[in-house]
Amino acid sequence: SQKIEQNSEALNIQEGKTATLTCNYTNYSPAYLQWYRQDPGRGPVFLLLIRENEKEKRKERLKVTFDTTLKQSLFHITASQPADSATYLCALYNFNKFYFGSGTKLNVKP
Amino acid sequence: DTEVTQTPKHLVMGMTNKKSLKCEQHMGHRAMYWYKQKAKKPPELMFVYSYEKLSINESVPSRFSPECPNSSLLNLHLHALQPEDSALYLCASSQDKLATDTQYFGPGTRLTVL
C-alpha cells in the first residue's frame, strides 16, 4: 500500500514569507498528486493537481512541484497571510483511489 | 453551485441505536464518496459510488451500510456502532471517479458513539 509522510509538526511563519510544505511518499509513484486545504471541523478543499510528467504547477500565490525521483512534492505559498493558516493535505492517486496524508498545520503570524 | 451538504452536523448515539447520515449534491456529479477522519489523521476512504452503484468498499464493517437512492443523494446507515467509530464522517463528490476529477467535500458529520 502507499505510505505518505507529511510533517506532523506545525509550521509557524511570519506574514509575507513563503511557506513550504513537504509531502513524501514511499512505494508506488502516483500518476497524480493533489493538494487540499482543511480548516478545523471542515471538509478538505481542493487546491491544485499535478501530474507525474509535470515538474511544477502554479495558481496565484500557490506553487506545487513534483519530483518522482525523490518521491516528493513541495507546496509553496508565497506572500503568506494569516488567512492561509490551516492544515494542508496531499493526496496521491494509486489503484483507482486517492490516499491522503495526515497534513501539516500552517500558522501564519501577523 | 459547488456545494456538498451533509446532515446532521453533529450526532451522538448509543451503541444500540440506528441512525443515518445524509449527503446531497446538485452538481451533476456521478461519483460520491464516504470518508472517515479521526483527529490529526488523514481522511480514510470507506465507500465509493459510481453512477449510483457501489464501486469500492474498503473492507468496512457491516455496521456501516451505504445507500445511493439517486444520483444526488448518498446515505450512510449506522447500526450497533462502537465508541472507536467516533469520528468526522465526510462525504465528497466528483464529476467521475477519475484521478483528474476534483473531489468536493461536505462539511462533515461529527459522530460520537457512547
Side-chain angles (χ1 to χ4, degrees):
Chain A
S1 63
Q2 187 67 278
K3 187 176 178 184
I4 302 163
E5 294 173 352
Q6 291 188 258
N7 196 339
S8 59
E9 291 183 15
L11 177 64
N12 298 304
I13 64 166
Q14 206 65 35
E15 182 177 8
K17 300 292 186 185
T18 295
T20 298
L21 306 174
T22 305
C23 175
N24 293 303
Y25 60 92
T26 58
N27 300 334
Y28 312 102
S29 276
Y32 304 90
L33 189 151
Q34 296 184 345
W35 282 88
Y36 287 79
R37 169 187 173 138
Q38 187 172 24
D39 291 284
R42 308 289 295 178
V45 175
F46 170 79
L47 296 174
L48 280 169
L49 175 145
I50 188 165
R51 293 171 169 77
E52 62 177 340
N53 60 352
E54 296 177 318
K55 297 295 184 189
E56 183 180 296
K57 200 80 169 280
R58 290 176 185 262
K59 178 183 176 184
E60 297 173 353
R61 295 185 295 114
L62 309 180
K63 184 177 85 170
V64 172
T65 62
F66 192 6
D67 189 325
T68 55
T69 302
L70 294 178
K71 295 192 174 183
Q72 181 181 80
S73 175
L74 298 179
F75 177 79
H76 307 271
I77 305 176
T78 57
S80 60
Q81 304 165 1
D84 295 326
S85 297
T87 296
Y88 291 86
L89 309 167
C90 65
L92 279 60
Y93 189 84
N94 275 127
F95 312 113
N96 297 317
K97 67 178 188 180
F98 277 99
Y99 295 83
F100 281 84
S102 298
T104 298
K105 187 169 175 15
L106 173 66
N107 295 315
V108 181
K109 302 186 177 183
Chain B
D1 180 10
T2 58
E3 190 180 21
V4 175
T5 59
Q6 288 187 247
T7 54
K9 289 187 179 178
H10 301 275
L11 178 63
V12 179
M13 60 187 290
M15 289 190 283
T16 58
N17 291 158
K18 281 187 181 181
K19 296 286 184 184
S20 296
L21 308 185
K22 182 179 173 181
C23 173
E24 195 165 3
Q25 57 88 13
H26 295 287
M27 294 178 276
H29 289 172
R30 304 317 299 262
M32 296 186 77
Y33 311 78
W34 281 114
Y35 286 87
K36 172 183 176 179
Q37 186 177 27
K38 294 229 170 199
K40 299 188 189 300
K41 296 291 186 183
E44 293 180 2
L45 184 66
M46 299 174 72
F47 303 103
V48 180
Y49 272 82
S50 178
Y51 290 83
E52 300 163 48
K53 291 191 181 338
L54 185 63
S55 172
I56 295 176
N57 177 342
E58 289 290 299
S59 302
V60 178
S62 60
R63 57 186 184 268
F64 295 92
S65 175
E67 179 196 19
C68 189
N70 60 55
S71 59
S72 301
L73 281 175
L74 187 66
N75 298 322
L76 186 63
H77 303 297
L78 315 172
H79 174 53
L81 294 193
Q82 305 296 310
E84 58 265 30
D85 296 322
S86 299
L88 181 68
Y89 286 84
L90 295 164
C91 173
S93 72
S94 61
Q95 187 65 43
D96 206 321
K97 61 181 187 70
L98 302 176
T100 51
D101 289 325
T102 299
Q103 290 187 65
Y104 293 85
F105 283 84
T109 293
R110 175 71 61 189
L111 174 67
T112 303
V113 182
L114 300 176

